[in-house]
Amino acid sequence: MLRVNSPGGSVSASEAIAREVRLLQAKKPVVVSMGGYAASGGYWISTPGERIFAEPTTITGSIGVYGIFLNFQGLMNDKLGLTFDTVKTGRFADATSAVRPKTAEELALFQDTVDWVYEQFVSKVTDNRKLDRKLVEEIAQGRVWSGSEALKLGLVDEIGGLDAATKYAGKKAGLGENFRVAEYPRGKQFAESFAEALEGRRREKSLAGPVGLLVGEAVRELETLKRYNDPSGLYARLPFDLQLR
């Protein structure tokens, strides 16, 4: 069984995981259980599964792709006084450079790639979920659905939590009612969780005050940038983070 609780991320990583799910599905049934959200790349890796379970409020779908290419030219030139010279052997050799803006030709090339990957995403959903392509094209376009709506649209098979998915997987495997479940990665011991909680508390105290809050916010933003590490700059991910305070 595969538990998914993700807003998505790198297209390359999503397809790498989906490939493993497809290979496993060819040998044994893969039951997918969706948590709070299984959107974009999270849904991408779920579609090869034989049966998909979702909670009524699971954020589902977000069948869409976008590209991100950083440009630090202003920071390097204006703030740090650094400039760059380039020697290249082809017109697009430095197309992914992060120290200059993209040309119109480069943007058109990248857009073609984004469009192609999006078509691949739509095709995977169409084929794996055995849906009409026109329907998938209508409900795709980056739109998100609740688990209940996703069931009506055919994006998931059943409403239920982790327990329901586990019982179905056990029944599908012919294990009856008495079977043991192993979770990966392994659950943390109490001592580990307690130590992490203390470390988090110390960090909060060290960042007290206006300056500390500003530093903490900057650190969080930098941590967010680390998620955008796809080698092609393409992402199947919810384009926003919802923070509840």
Side-chain angles (χ1 to χ4, degrees):
M1 188 175 70
L2 174 65
R3 176 70 169 177
V4 179
N5 191 30
S6 169
S10 162
V11 162
S12 299
S14 298
E15 177 54 23
I17 296 172
R19 178 180 180 275
E20 296 303 315
V21 176
R22 289 195 299 270
L23 293 175
L24 182 59
Q25 175 64 33
K27 295 182 177 296
K28 61 179 66 177
V30 177
V31 179
V32 179
S33 171
M34 293 180 171
Y37 45 17
S40 258
Y43 188 68
W44 186 312
I45 69 176
S46 301
T47 56
E50 177 179 292
R51 194 164 188 83
I52 301 178
F53 285 75
E55 300 279 6
T57 56
T58 299
I59 298 176
T60 309
S62 188
I63 302 167
V65 179
Y66 61 90
I68 291 181
F69 300 97
L70 301 177
N71 178 13
F72 295 115
Q73 186 182 61
L75 173 64
M76 296 295 185
N77 295 174
D78 302 335
K79 303 296 183 182
L80 302 179
L82 299 176
T83 59
F84 298 84
D85 294 313
T86 302
V87 177
K88 57 185 180 180
T89 57
R91 185 172 24 163
F92 299 112
D94 65 336
T96 58
S97 171
V99 293
R100 65 168 179 79
K102 300 290 179 284
T103 67
E105 285 182 302
E106 290 168 342
L107 288 175
L109 184 64
F110 289 135
Q111 186 61 58
D112 287 343
T113 304
V114 170
D115 293 342
W116 180 82
V117 174
Y118 176 70
E119 288 299 316
Q120 292 294 306
F121 198 171
V122 171
S123 295
K124 291 178 188 297
V125 175
T126 301
D127 297 339
N128 292 331
R129 298 300 303 164
K130 296 178 174 58
L131 297 172
D132 181 75
R133 186 177 179 90
K134 289 185 178 180
L135 170 65
V136 176
E137 290 174 346
E138 290 175 2
I139 63 179
Q141 305 173 47
R143 302 170 69 184
V144 296
W145 309 90
S146 67
S148 298
E149 287 299 315
L151 177 63
K152 298 176 184 177
L153 295 171
L155 295 176
V156 303
D157 298 299
E158 193 168 334
I159 297 298
L162 184 58
D163 288 342
T166 302
K167 289 180 180 179
Y168 178 88
K171 181 179 179 181
K172 192 72 179 177
L175 300 178
E177 297 294 330
N178 299 316
F179 57 87
R180 184 175 60 184
V181 177
E183 296 184 8
Y184 297 94
R186 68 172 180 81
K188 294 180 181 179
Q189 299 294 325
F190 173 77
E192 292 178 273
S193 300
F194 185 68
E196 289 181 0
L198 284 179
E199 181 61 30
R201 185 61 180 163
R202 293 193 194 99
R203 194 179 302 113
E204 289 179 4
K205 287 184 177 180
S206 68
L207 294 177
V211 175
L213 291 175
L214 182 62
V215 172
E217 187 66 28
V219 170
R220 283 191 291 273
E221 292 297 329
L222 289 174
E223 287 294 321
T224 299
L225 282 178
K226 288 170 60 177
R227 302 173 191 166
Y228 294 97
N229 58 356
D230 184 89
S232 301
L234 301 177
Y235 300 90
R237 186 185 189 279
L238 288 177
F240 58 85
D241 291 307
L242 180 61
Q243 297 183 3
L244 301 178
R245 302 188 181 187

